[in-house]
Amino acid sequence: MNFQRFLVPVGCLALAAWAYSAYGWHGILLVAGGLLMWLLMQYTRVMAVLRRANNRPVGTVASAVMLNAKLKKGAALLHVVALTKSLGELRSPADTQPEVYRWTDNTRSFVDATFVEGRLGAWRLTRPPADDAAPDAPSP
C-alpha cells in the first residue's frame, strides 16, 4: 500500500492544526502560503519536463544503452521522461496496468520500460542483431 497518499494530506492537516494552535489564523495563512508555493514549484517542474519533451519525437532517445545504465527501479515516469527528454511510445493498451513504454535510438536499439502505478518496475535493453552479411574490409 502506498502510504504517501495518506501521509502527505495528514501531515498537511497536522501542520495546519499546529500553526493554528500556535499562531491562530496567521499560522493557517502561513502554512497555506507555503503549501501553495510547493504546489506551484511542482507544477513548474512538470511543465519544464514536458516542454523539453515536446521538442523531440515520441519514443526517441539519444542512446538506449546510456538510458539503460541510468534507470533505477522505483523511478517515477516523470523522472524517466526528464532523462530521455522524450515521451515514451506506449506499447501496452491504454489505461491498463502495468504500462509499457519504449524508447528507441538511431541504431535501432531500444529500452522497454514497465511502469506499475507510475513507478519503474522493470526495463530491458534490446539491441539489433549484428549484420552477418557485412562486407569484409578489403585486404591490402
Side-chain angles (χ1 to χ4, degrees):
M1 175 176 244
N2 188 1
F3 290 108
Q4 191 174 11
R5 286 185 182 174
F6 301 109
L7 289 180
V8 171
V10 169
C12 291
L13 288 175
L15 184 63
W18 172 81
Y20 180 73
S21 68
Y23 301 105
W25 288 106
H26 297 288
I28 293 283
L29 292 175
L30 183 65
V31 168
L35 289 174
L36 180 64
M37 181 62 77
W38 178 75
L39 286 172
L40 289 173
M41 287 174 29
Q42 296 301 316
Y43 177 78
T44 302
R45 178 177 174 246
V46 169
M47 289 296 112
V49 168
L50 292 178
R51 191 176 314 113
R52 274 185 243 119
N54 186 37
N55 295 330
R56 280 192 121 155
V58 172
T60 60
V61 67
S63 172
V65 175
M66 290 304 295
L67 174 62
N68 180 56
K70 290 181 181 182
L71 290 177
K72 293 184 177 144
K73 188 172 179 142
L77 178 58
L78 182 66
H79 180 73
V80 176
V81 170
L83 278 174
T84 62
K85 297 180 181 77
S86 170
L87 298 175
E89 177 188 355
L90 184 63
R91 306 293 288 180
S92 61
D95 299 327
T96 60
Q97 290 293 323
E99 296 174 319
V100 179
Y101 291 94
R102 176 176 286 179
W103 285 273
T104 307
D105 65 9
N106 57 2
T107 65
R108 295 187 342 246
S109 298
F110 58 88
V111 174
D112 284 330
T114 304
F115 291 87
V116 179
E117 299 199 11
R119 296 287 177 178
L120 183 60
W123 65 95
R124 183 183 42 146
L125 172 67
T126 305
R127 294 180 131 178
D131 293 335
D132 293 331
D136 292 331
S139 51

